[in-house]
Amino acid sequence: MPSDALSTTFAALADPTRRAILARLSDGAATVGELAEPFEMSMPAVSRHLKVLERAGLITRGRAAQWRPCQLEAGPLKDATDWLERYRRFWEQSFDRLDDYLKELQSSRTPKKKS
């Protein structure tokens, strides 16, 4: 099991069911039953997914009478986004350099017009 928060976040995000649950929660709080509705799996299986998300700090579960609404907690997603941002900048800079190089090659191969 991952020991640091970022690893725990990425481990939780690795599963498509958990990502779908987070996508649903981005629209607002939902009960466990509402979250389980689109999936063909048992309630205990859905509950296990929710526990993984809760341990990662990606959701919180409240209590309102007999309901246990779940709510998205975006803080760990921001941390993951911040970490990924460095690599996005790296790739953008690499592609910009490649684009400049290709333009340079193209201009050196294009015959010049005679006046």
Side-chain angles (χ1 to χ4, degrees), residues 38-79:
F39 304 108
E40 292 184 21
M41 64 178 67
S42 67
M43 287 299 279
V46 172
S47 188
R48 285 191 295 273
H49 283 295
L50 294 174
K51 285 179 185 173
V52 170
L53 292 169
E54 195 171 21
R55 274 194 303 269
L58 292 165
I59 68 167
T60 55
R61 290 201 259 189
R63 192 174 289 264
Q66 73 271 23
W67 305 107
R68 297 277 320 237
C70 297
Q71 187 170 320
L72 178 67
E73 294 296 330
L77 293 173
K78 171 140 180 25
D79 295 340

Side-chain angles (χ1 to χ4, degrees), residues 10 13 16 21 23 28 31 36-37 39 43 46 51 59 63 69 87 92 103 105 108 113:
F10 281 122
L13 294 173
I21 289 169
T31 65
E37 201 171 289
F39 304 108
M43 287 299 279
V46 172
K51 285 179 185 173
I59 68 167
R63 192 174 289 264
Y87 298 97
E92 282 183 355
K103 285 177 184 174
L105 279 178
S108 69
K113 293 182 181 179

Side-chain angles (χ1 to χ4, degrees), residues 3-115:
S3 60
D4 66 284
L6 191 57
S7 294
T8 304
T9 298
F10 281 122
L13 294 173
D15 185 275
T17 300
R18 292 192 287 266
R19 291 192 305 270
I21 289 169
L22 291 176
R24 166 54 188 87
L25 290 174
S26 70
D27 293 332
T31 65
V32 174
E34 291 169 335
L35 293 172
E37 201 171 289
F39 304 108
E40 292 184 21
M41 64 178 67
S42 67
M43 287 299 279
V46 172
S47 188
R48 285 191 295 273
H49 283 295
L50 294 174
K51 285 179 185 173
V52 170
L53 292 169
E54 195 171 21
R55 274 194 303 269
L58 292 165
I59 68 167
T60 55
R61 290 201 259 189
R63 192 174 289 264
Q66 73 271 23
W67 305 107
R68 297 277 320 237
C70 297
Q71 187 170 320
L72 178 67
E73 294 296 330
L77 293 173
K78 171 140 180 25
D79 295 340
T81 300
D82 292 345
W83 185 82
L84 288 168
E85 179 64 22
R86 291 184 302 200
Y87 298 97
R88 185 190 63 79
R89 284 193 305 265
F90 166 80
W91 283 109
E92 282 183 355
Q93 292 168 355
S94 295
F95 288 134
D96 288 346
R97 287 192 305 272
L98 178 60
D99 190 46
D100 292 343
Y101 177 71
L102 291 173
K103 285 177 184 174
E104 184 181 311
L105 279 178
Q106 189 176 30
S107 69
S108 69
R109 290 185 176 180
T110 304
K112 298 188 179 178
K113 293 182 181 179
K114 293 182 182 180
S115 305

